[in-house]
Amino acid sequence: QVQVVESGGGLVQAGGSLRLSCAASGRTFSMYAMGWFRQGPGKEREFVARFRLKGGSTYYADSVKGRFTISRDNAKNTVYLQMNSLKPEDTAVYYCAAQKTVVGGYDYWGQGTQVTVSS
């Protein structure tokens, strides 16, 4: 079992930056990847970024590529999402999730953290 807890959300003006944190606990050594997703008002949840724990490769949605960076601190069992050049359309609840294997979806989800970008 793995638990993930997000933090770092808040209100920021357009063009600003925020860094989200995802602290993982439990059997994290067995996880394949950690990812960030978001759900904006009236929208479906969408993929934002992924960090493959074995190998360290990253993958981003086109909408955030070049502005967001996903990274990991092994010592703290924490994954970060650095968000720069924020836009009002980035407003959403951001969720962290852990994926057990390369096959299938994400298995463990956090409660989410609100990010609001004002224009």
Side-chain angles (χ1 to χ4, degrees):
Q1 193 77 350
V2 171
Q3 296 79 41
V4 294
V5 178
E6 307 95 336
S7 62
L11 173 64
V12 64
Q13 287 190 332
S17 299
L18 278 176
R19 188 178 77 160
L20 305 183
S21 300
C22 172
S25 60
R27 298 176 62 86
T28 56
F29 61 88
S30 63
M31 293 296 106
Y32 170 75
M34 300 290 293
W36 285 96
F37 293 77
R38 67 186 182 186
Q39 186 166 17
K43 299 180 181 179
E44 300 207 345
R45 187 169 61 193
E46 62 176 358
F47 167 81
V48 175
R50 183 198 74 188
F51 191 104
R52 196 173 76 175
L53 299 177
K54 295 176 175 60
S57 63
T58 58
Y59 184 74
Y60 298 91
D62 287 342
S63 58
V64 307
K65 204 172 293 182
R67 300 188 298 123
F68 290 12
T69 303
I70 188 170
S71 62
R72 172 184 63 174
D73 184 329
N74 278 340
K76 297 182 179 180
N77 253 359
T78 298
V79 172
Y80 301 98
L81 185 68
Q82 177 67 43
M83 306 185 295
N84 298 329
S85 302
L86 283 162
K87 306 174 182 179
E89 50 264 43
D90 294 318
T91 294
V93 177
Y94 283 71
Y95 298 92
C96 178
Q99 184 180 15
K100 286 195 294 188
T101 67
V102 63
V103 177
Y106 285 76
D107 303 279
Y108 306 103
W109 292 82
Q111 294 299 307
T113 185
Q114 176 71 46
V115 171
T116 302
V117 184
S118 63
S119 56

